mmCIF file of all heavy atoms in Angstrom:
data_model
loop_
_atom_site.group_PDB
_atom_site.id
_atom_site.type_symbol
_atom_site.label_atom_id
_atom_site.label_comp_id
_atom_site.label_asym_id
_atom_site.label_seq_id
_atom_site.Cartn_x
_atom_site.Cartn_y
_atom_site.Cartn_z
ATOM 1 N N LYS V 165 -45.601 -78.835 5.178
ATOM 2 C CA LYS V 165 -45.124 -79.678 6.261
ATOM 3 C C LYS V 165 -44.689 -78.813 7.442
ATOM 4 O O LYS V 165 -44.411 -77.646 7.210
ATOM 5 C CB LYS V 165 -43.992 -80.570 5.771
ATOM 6 C CG LYS V 165 -42.657 -79.815 5.540
ATOM 7 C CD LYS V 165 -41.495 -80.747 5.562
ATOM 8 C CE LYS V 165 -40.716 -80.645 6.820
ATOM 9 N NZ LYS V 165 -39.509 -79.828 6.754
ATOM 10 N N HIS V 195 -41.938 -81.337 -0.412
ATOM 11 C CA HIS V 195 -41.340 -80.743 -1.614
ATOM 12 C C HIS V 195 -40.365 -81.705 -2.307
ATOM 13 O O HIS V 195 -40.038 -81.514 -3.471
ATOM 14 C CB HIS V 195 -40.718 -79.378 -1.319
ATOM 15 C CG HIS V 195 -39.342 -79.440 -0.719
ATOM 16 N ND1 HIS V 195 -39.120 -79.566 0.609
ATOM 17 C CD2 HIS V 195 -38.119 -79.405 -1.288
ATOM 18 C CE1 HIS V 195 -37.817 -79.606 0.845
ATOM 19 N NE2 HIS V 195 -37.173 -79.503 -0.303
ATOM 20 N N TYR V 196 -39.936 -82.781 -1.606
ATOM 21 C CA TYR V 196 -39.074 -83.759 -2.281
ATOM 22 C C TYR V 196 -39.803 -84.429 -3.438
ATOM 23 O O TYR V 196 -39.201 -84.801 -4.439
ATOM 24 C CB TYR V 196 -38.541 -84.806 -1.290
ATOM 25 C CG TYR V 196 -37.127 -84.481 -0.862
ATOM 26 C CD1 TYR V 196 -36.845 -83.261 -0.262
ATOM 27 C CD2 TYR V 196 -36.068 -85.357 -1.081
ATOM 28 C CE1 TYR V 196 -35.557 -82.923 0.106
ATOM 29 C CE2 TYR V 196 -34.773 -85.031 -0.725
ATOM 30 C CZ TYR V 196 -34.524 -83.809 -0.136
ATOM 31 O OH TYR V 196 -33.242 -83.471 0.216
ATOM 32 N N LYS V 199 -39.350 -82.950 -6.832
ATOM 33 C CA LYS V 199 -38.055 -83.034 -7.522
ATOM 34 C C LYS V 199 -38.140 -84.053 -8.657
ATOM 35 O O LYS V 199 -38.591 -85.185 -8.454
ATOM 36 C CB LYS V 199 -36.946 -83.444 -6.537
ATOM 37 C CG LYS V 199 -36.660 -82.409 -5.456
ATOM 38 C CD LYS V 199 -35.507 -82.842 -4.570
ATOM 39 C CE LYS V 199 -35.431 -82.014 -3.291
ATOM 40 N NZ LYS V 199 -34.813 -80.706 -3.452
ATOM 41 N N GLU V 233 -26.751 -82.187 4.059
ATOM 42 C CA GLU V 233 -26.777 -80.744 3.790
ATOM 43 C C GLU V 233 -25.513 -80.098 4.324
ATOM 44 O O GLU V 233 -24.976 -80.542 5.338
ATOM 45 C CB GLU V 233 -27.967 -80.107 4.504
ATOM 46 C CG GLU V 233 -29.311 -80.634 4.064
ATOM 47 C CD GLU V 233 -30.401 -79.822 4.711
ATOM 48 O OE1 GLU V 233 -30.783 -78.801 4.114
ATOM 49 O OE2 GLU V 233 -30.845 -80.172 5.802
ATOM 50 N N VAL V 235 -25.605 -76.737 4.906
ATOM 51 C CA VAL V 235 -26.095 -75.604 5.703
ATOM 52 C C VAL V 235 -26.333 -76.026 7.150
ATOM 53 O O VAL V 235 -26.520 -77.214 7.452
ATOM 54 C CB VAL V 235 -27.425 -75.030 5.142
ATOM 55 C CG1 VAL V 235 -27.201 -74.331 3.823
ATOM 56 C CG2 VAL V 235 -28.485 -76.107 5.039
ATOM 57 N N ARG V 240 -33.662 -70.565 11.535
ATOM 58 C CA ARG V 240 -34.899 -71.280 11.864
ATOM 59 C C ARG V 240 -34.873 -71.977 13.221
ATOM 60 O O ARG V 240 -35.573 -72.977 13.419
ATOM 61 C CB ARG V 240 -35.181 -72.290 10.760
ATOM 62 C CG ARG V 240 -35.268 -71.646 9.392
ATOM 63 C CD ARG V 240 -35.167 -72.687 8.311
ATOM 64 N NE ARG V 240 -36.295 -73.584 8.287
ATOM 65 C CZ ARG V 240 -36.184 -74.887 8.054
ATOM 66 N NH1 ARG V 240 -35.014 -75.440 7.886
ATOM 67 N NH2 ARG V 240 -37.260 -75.645 8.011
ATOM 68 N N TYR V 243 -38.192 -72.975 15.064
ATOM 69 C CA TYR V 243 -38.875 -74.180 14.589
ATOM 70 C C TYR V 243 -38.017 -75.430 14.834
ATOM 71 O O TYR V 243 -38.480 -76.440 15.363
ATOM 72 C CB TYR V 243 -39.193 -74.023 13.096
ATOM 73 C CG TYR V 243 -39.214 -75.327 12.328
ATOM 74 C CD1 TYR V 243 -40.287 -76.212 12.458
ATOM 75 C CD2 TYR V 243 -38.162 -75.682 11.487
ATOM 76 C CE1 TYR V 243 -40.288 -77.420 11.768
ATOM 77 C CE2 TYR V 243 -38.165 -76.879 10.801
ATOM 78 C CZ TYR V 243 -39.224 -77.742 10.945
ATOM 79 O OH TYR V 243 -39.233 -78.936 10.277
ATOM 80 N N TYR V 244 -36.744 -75.339 14.483
ATOM 81 C CA TYR V 244 -35.897 -76.536 14.457
ATOM 82 C C TYR V 244 -35.695 -77.123 15.857
ATOM 83 O O TYR V 244 -35.619 -78.336 16.030
ATOM 84 C CB TYR V 244 -34.552 -76.207 13.814
ATOM 85 C CG TYR V 244 -33.835 -77.439 13.313
ATOM 86 C CD1 TYR V 244 -34.138 -77.984 12.065
ATOM 87 C CD2 TYR V 244 -32.879 -78.082 14.093
ATOM 88 C CE1 TYR V 244 -33.495 -79.128 11.615
ATOM 89 C CE2 TYR V 244 -32.235 -79.224 13.645
ATOM 90 C CZ TYR V 244 -32.543 -79.737 12.395
ATOM 91 O OH TYR V 244 -31.914 -80.877 11.944
ATOM 92 N N ASP V 252 -37.856 -83.230 10.926
ATOM 93 C CA ASP V 252 -37.691 -82.249 9.847
ATOM 94 C C ASP V 252 -37.419 -82.929 8.500
ATOM 95 O O ASP V 252 -37.872 -82.450 7.461
ATOM 96 C CB ASP V 252 -36.534 -81.310 10.208
ATOM 97 C CG ASP V 252 -36.359 -80.188 9.209
ATOM 98 O OD1 ASP V 252 -37.371 -79.536 8.890
ATOM 99 O OD2 ASP V 252 -35.225 -79.949 8.742
ATOM 100 N N MET V 253 -36.676 -84.015 8.510
ATOM 101 C CA MET V 253 -36.240 -84.622 7.237
ATOM 102 C C MET V 253 -36.637 -86.088 7.086
ATOM 103 O O MET V 253 -37.014 -86.530 6.003
ATOM 104 C CB MET V 253 -34.707 -84.552 7.122
ATOM 105 C CG MET V 253 -34.126 -83.177 6.974
ATOM 106 S SD MET V 253 -34.470 -82.384 5.390
ATOM 107 C CE MET V 253 -33.445 -83.317 4.261
ATOM 108 N N HIS V 257 -39.185 -86.379 3.950
ATOM 109 C CA HIS V 257 -38.430 -86.497 2.700
ATOM 110 C C HIS V 257 -37.766 -87.874 2.537
ATOM 111 O O HIS V 257 -37.862 -88.498 1.479
ATOM 112 C CB HIS V 257 -37.360 -85.409 2.618
ATOM 113 C CG HIS V 257 -37.892 -84.028 2.864
ATOM 114 N ND1 HIS V 257 -39.154 -83.640 2.494
ATOM 115 C CD2 HIS V 257 -37.332 -82.938 3.452
ATOM 116 C CE1 HIS V 257 -39.336 -82.360 2.843
ATOM 117 N NE2 HIS V 257 -38.250 -81.932 3.427
ATOM 118 N N LYS V 357 -27.256 -81.931 9.020
ATOM 119 C CA LYS V 357 -26.863 -80.576 8.622
ATOM 120 C C LYS V 357 -25.384 -80.400 8.910
ATOM 121 O O LYS V 357 -24.816 -81.104 9.728
ATOM 122 C CB LYS V 357 -27.679 -79.541 9.397
ATOM 123 C CG LYS V 357 -29.157 -79.532 8.980
ATOM 124 C CD LYS V 357 -29.848 -78.270 9.418
ATOM 125 C CE LYS V 357 -31.331 -78.294 9.074
ATOM 126 N NZ LYS V 357 -31.593 -78.109 7.637
ATOM 127 N N ARG V 362 -23.424 -81.233 0.048
ATOM 128 C CA ARG V 362 -24.877 -81.274 -0.130
ATOM 129 C C ARG V 362 -25.176 -82.379 -1.119
ATOM 130 O O ARG V 362 -24.694 -82.352 -2.266
ATOM 131 C CB ARG V 362 -25.393 -79.947 -0.668
ATOM 132 C CG ARG V 362 -26.873 -79.988 -1.009
ATOM 133 C CD ARG V 362 -27.420 -78.623 -1.379
ATOM 134 N NE ARG V 362 -28.847 -78.695 -1.627
ATOM 135 C CZ ARG V 362 -29.384 -78.701 -2.843
ATOM 136 N NH1 ARG V 362 -28.610 -78.617 -3.920
ATOM 137 N NH2 ARG V 362 -30.696 -78.778 -2.996
ATOM 138 N N SER V 364 -28.257 -85.696 -1.960
ATOM 139 C CA SER V 364 -29.295 -86.670 -1.617
ATOM 140 C C SER V 364 -29.204 -87.799 -2.612
ATOM 141 O O SER V 364 -29.102 -87.554 -3.829
ATOM 142 C CB SER V 364 -30.688 -86.045 -1.694
ATOM 143 O OG SER V 364 -30.794 -85.010 -0.764
ATOM 144 N N GLN V 395 -29.889 -85.169 -5.885
ATOM 145 C CA GLN V 395 -29.333 -83.824 -6.032
ATOM 146 C C GLN V 395 -27.968 -83.750 -5.373
ATOM 147 O O GLN V 395 -27.722 -84.555 -4.468
ATOM 148 C CB GLN V 395 -30.254 -82.776 -5.402
ATOM 149 C CG GLN V 395 -30.361 -82.937 -3.897
ATOM 150 C CD GLN V 395 -31.377 -82.027 -3.250
ATOM 151 O OE1 GLN V 395 -32.281 -81.538 -3.882
ATOM 152 N NE2 GLN V 395 -31.234 -81.787 -1.963
HETATM 153 C C1 BG6 T 601 -36.901 -78.741 4.441
HETATM 154 C C2 BG6 T 601 -36.325 -78.745 5.813
HETATM 155 O O1 BG6 T 601 -38.112 -79.453 4.415
HETATM 156 O O2 BG6 T 601 -35.979 -79.341 3.538
HETATM 157 C C3 BG6 T 601 -34.982 -78.032 5.836
HETATM 158 O O3 BG6 T 601 -37.219 -78.116 6.712
HETATM 159 C C4 BG6 T 601 -34.059 -78.594 4.798
HETATM 160 O O4 BG6 T 601 -34.397 -78.100 7.128
HETATM 161 C C5 BG6 T 601 -34.739 -78.679 3.451
HETATM 162 O O5 BG6 T 601 -32.918 -77.758 4.721
HETATM 163 C C6 BG6 T 601 -33.880 -79.446 2.464
HETATM 164 O O6 BG6 T 601 -34.451 -79.349 1.205
HETATM 165 P P1 BG6 T 601 -33.555 -79.474 -0.101
HETATM 166 O O7 BG6 T 601 -34.540 -79.403 -1.222
HETATM 167 O O8 BG6 T 601 -32.583 -78.344 -0.062
HETATM 168 O O9 BG6 T 601 -32.863 -80.811 -0.001
#
Side-chain angles (χ1 to χ4, degrees):
K165 73 159 255 261
H195 82 274
Y196 260 58
K199 294 183 194 280
E233 299 187 88
V235 290
R240 303 164 67 219
Y243 150 75
Y244 200 83
D252 185 49
M253 293 290 289
H257 309 327
K357 291 197 183 286
R362 174 173 183 257
S364 298
Q395 65 187 21

